[in-house]
Amino acid sequence: SDIASLAGAELRVGGNLLGTDTSVAGTSAIRLNGNGNQTINVADTTDNTIIIDKVSGTATLGADLTLNGPSQNLSLVQGTLDSANRTITTASGYSVIVNGATLTGGGTINSNLIIQSGGSVLLSASGTGVGEYTHFTVRDSVTLQANSHLIVNVGGMTTGGAIANFISGTSRTGTFNSI
């Protein structure tokens, strides 16, 4: 069945967020708060923020995620979002905000990436060759606020590499310590 609009209270999703509707309007925020793993695979969502707020398990993108509404951020407040090397797109001026949660999995972020206090971006590397490390390519700015974390798990890596190979964007704000 088609969903034309979801307006009103926040929609809390304890299972997978799945949908093929290509035009969903409305002002309801969507909060993924299930215990255990959840998958996000939607063609469109309401015109408000999607919030990852998980005590346990991982939310994983099953497809690229496009948030094209007039006030849509992707906000990670608790738990883990595995982007699974997918593309996350927000409308101009909106952001992927990591605050007290973890973003992992690599891919492309067609927006700003803001890592707030307590937030983490986790990247993994076994080498510096193609396919040996996860990375995020960010269209707009990357901001690391105080007490945020950019973590590179280099387990199994036998050769060095520069941090710029792991995260790139048009600008970087914050302090980058050496690995």
Side-chain angles (χ1 to χ4, degrees):
S1 68
D2 291 337
I3 297 176
S5 180
L6 291 169
E10 179 179 273
L11 177 63
R12 293 177 182 240
V13 179
N16 296 327
L17 180 61
L18 309 172
T20 58
D21 295 330
T22 57
S23 183
V24 178
T27 57
S28 295
I30 298 174
R31 182 179 301 265
L32 272 74
N33 65 345
N35 294 325
N37 295 333
Q38 293 177 269
T39 298
I40 303 168
N41 190 347
V42 292
D44 192 28
T45 66
T46 64
D47 294 335
N48 205 328
T49 296
I50 293 181
I51 304 160
I52 307 299
D53 187 8
K54 301 182 59 53
V55 175
S56 63
T58 298
T60 302
L61 293 183
D64 293 345
L65 179 62
T66 300
L67 305 175
N68 55 8
S71 60
Q72 285 186 296
N73 289 309
L74 175 60
S75 182
L76 287 66
V77 297
Q78 182 174 237
T80 300
L81 174 64
D82 181 349
S83 58
N85 205 33
R86 307 280 187 185
T87 298
I88 301 170
T89 302
T90 67
S92 180
Y94 293 93
S95 304
V96 174
I97 302 167
V98 184
N99 179 5
T102 300
L103 175 63
T104 190
T108 300
I109 297 176
N110 287 324
S111 74
N112 299 302
L113 173 60
I114 301 169
I115 309 163
Q116 295 179 336
S117 179
S120 300
V121 172
L122 173 62
L123 304 171
S124 298
S126 60
T128 58
V130 174
E132 293 182 316
Y133 61 91
T134 58
H135 70 282
F136 285 101
T137 301
V138 180
R139 175 190 70 199
D140 294 327
S141 65
V142 175
T143 302
L144 290 171
Q145 294 181 352
N147 300 312
S148 63
H149 309 279
L150 176 59
I151 302 165
V152 181
N153 178 354
V154 293
M157 189 173 197
T158 58
T159 60
I163 196 157
N165 289 340
F166 294 104
I167 190 164
S168 60
T170 56
S171 69
R172 295 184 183 121
T173 305
T175 302
F176 290 81
N177 295 323
S178 60
I179 302 175

